[in-house]
Amino acid sequence: MIILYNSSLHKATFFLTGFQGLQDLHGWISIPFCSIYLTVIVGNLTILHFIRTDVTLHEPMYYFLAMLALTDLGLCLSTLPTVLGIFWFDAREIGIPACFTQLFFIHTLSLVESSVLLSMSIDCYVAICNPLRYSTVLTPTRVVKMGLSSVLRSALLILPLPFLLKRFRYCRSHVLAHAYCLHLEIMKLACSSIIVNHIYGLSVVACTVGVDSLLIFLSYALILRTIVSIASRQERLWALNTYVSHICAVLLFYIPIIGLSLVHRFGEHLPRIVHILMSYVYLLVPPLMNPIVYSIKTKQIRQCIVKKFEFIKSLTCFWQD
């Protein structure tokens, strides 16, 4: 098939793909996806609600956690319309403006998540390695600046991608392999040379996710060295508990990225379903698991959840009486 052009609007149309060969089962497949999306939305909104309403959580650590929850929520909502649209209504057609807008938000929010994880590792480093200066180093103003710089850096680096793609004429197959738009996949449909897009895309990844991961690794190495040197067993356990929750969030983000990259580069022989599932793991597992990890590993948030359930239980008992 060739891409379809409207002679008056000069706009191309792409077609998204669900699970090929399983179209008759899309209704059933949508059930776990709906459950995941609902859990992501409820879980991250719950984290945001607790941080906003509980004054004991008005600290830099929880502000960064709120940024992570907002990023995960945005990443989830950026793919939800097209994914469920395919499963429920077989709505596969997407225009270039909508496709490029979705692409921009997916890639921008992925880079923002990497930046927020770096900020959280800095927070963890200061809290464990230099606790006496924690309140002076991570002031509310500095936390806000770190959050804004993460968003601005990511948005400015991703902004050229839609314009680089817009200059192409697409004459190859217009069917995308996923239920959402990604830069790497769209540029492969272009008729002309895509070397500029390749170089720019790799440069962006290297300057953001690459640098962030190295700095995170360095900070956690220093944190681990400090934990080992702590004499008090109680303080060591507290530091380890804080350290482990951050490590889990980092692994939940970077393992799917590495796995997806390996599958794309060395997994040509693998079934197409593996590529599709890995892409969903990359986009949905971190937003799904982060609220669960922090609810379990963070004592203050866990206490908020317990208090909320106790309050609901007391109200239920009151009305029953």
Side-chain angles (χ1 to χ4, degrees), residues 32-281:
F33 276 90
C34 287
S35 302
I36 291 172
Y37 277 120
L38 183 62
T39 304
V40 169
I41 293 170
V42 172
N44 285 287
L45 285 178
T46 301
I47 294 290
L48 290 170
H49 171 72
F50 287 149
I51 293 173
R52 185 181 68 87
T53 56
D54 194 329
V55 293
T56 63
L57 301 181
H58 292 177
E59 297 178 7
M61 171 185 172
Y62 302 105
Y63 293 149
F64 288 126
L65 181 55
M67 294 177 197
L68 185 66
L70 280 172
T71 305
D72 285 339
L73 198 58
L75 196 58
C76 165
L77 295 177
S78 64
T79 60
L80 184 149
T82 52
V83 171
L84 295 187
I86 288 176
F87 289 150
W88 286 350
F89 311 110
D90 196 30
R92 300 178 56 227
E93 186 174 347
I94 185 170
I96 275 188
C99 187
F100 287 179
T101 300
Q102 185 183 53
L103 174 152
F104 172 79
F105 280 107
I106 289 175
H107 289 296
T108 297
L109 290 169
S110 295
L111 297 188
V112 170
E113 181 142 356
S114 177
S115 299
V116 171
L117 289 173
L118 175 59
S119 299
M120 294 177 77
S121 71
I122 294 172
D123 171 81
C124 190
Y125 168 78
V126 177
I128 294 175
C129 300
N130 204 345
L132 297 179
R133 296 189 60 196
Y134 183 80
S135 59
T136 57
V137 172
L138 290 171
T139 61
T141 303
R142 190 163 292 166
V143 169
V144 170
K145 288 181 179 178
M146 291 171 70
L148 289 176
S149 64
S150 299
V151 175
L152 286 175
R153 183 191 75 161
S154 303
L156 290 175
L157 287 173
I158 296 299
L159 187 61
L161 291 184
F163 296 100
L164 289 172
L165 292 172
K166 190 177 181 181
R167 64 193 176 94
F168 293 133
R169 183 176 178 85
Y170 300 96
C171 57
R172 297 173 185 165
S173 171
H174 58 294
V175 179
L176 302 177
H178 302 293
Y180 40 82
C181 299
L182 297 174
H183 171 253
L184 181 62
E185 189 177 2
I186 294 173
M187 73 177 183
K188 290 180 179 179
L189 305 181
C191 308
S192 52
S193 172
I194 57 174
I195 186 65
V196 174
N197 290 62
H198 261 304
I199 293 174
Y200 184 77
L202 288 173
S203 300
V204 168
V205 172
C207 294
T208 54
V209 177
V211 173
D212 291 349
S213 60
L214 288 175
L215 293 175
I216 289 171
F217 176 79
L218 176 61
S219 66
Y220 284 151
L222 295 173
I223 290 168
L224 186 59
R225 187 182 68 175
T226 302
I227 291 174
V228 172
S229 65
I230 295 175
S232 170
R233 183 175 180 273
Q234 186 175 359
E235 290 180 352
R236 192 184 301 121
L237 289 174
W238 172 85
L240 274 173
N241 186 60
T242 305
Y243 178 74
V244 167
S245 59
H246 287 297
I247 282 288
C248 290
V250 170
L251 293 178
L252 284 169
F253 178 74
Y254 283 103
I255 287 178
I257 283 185
I258 295 170
L260 185 62
S261 300
L262 291 175
V263 166
H264 275 304
R265 292 186 180 277
F266 307 109
E268 293 86 358
H269 62 285
L270 294 174
R272 188 64 199 167
I273 188 69
V274 175
H275 292 257
I276 295 172
L277 287 175
M278 281 302 301
S279 68
Y280 283 120
V281 167

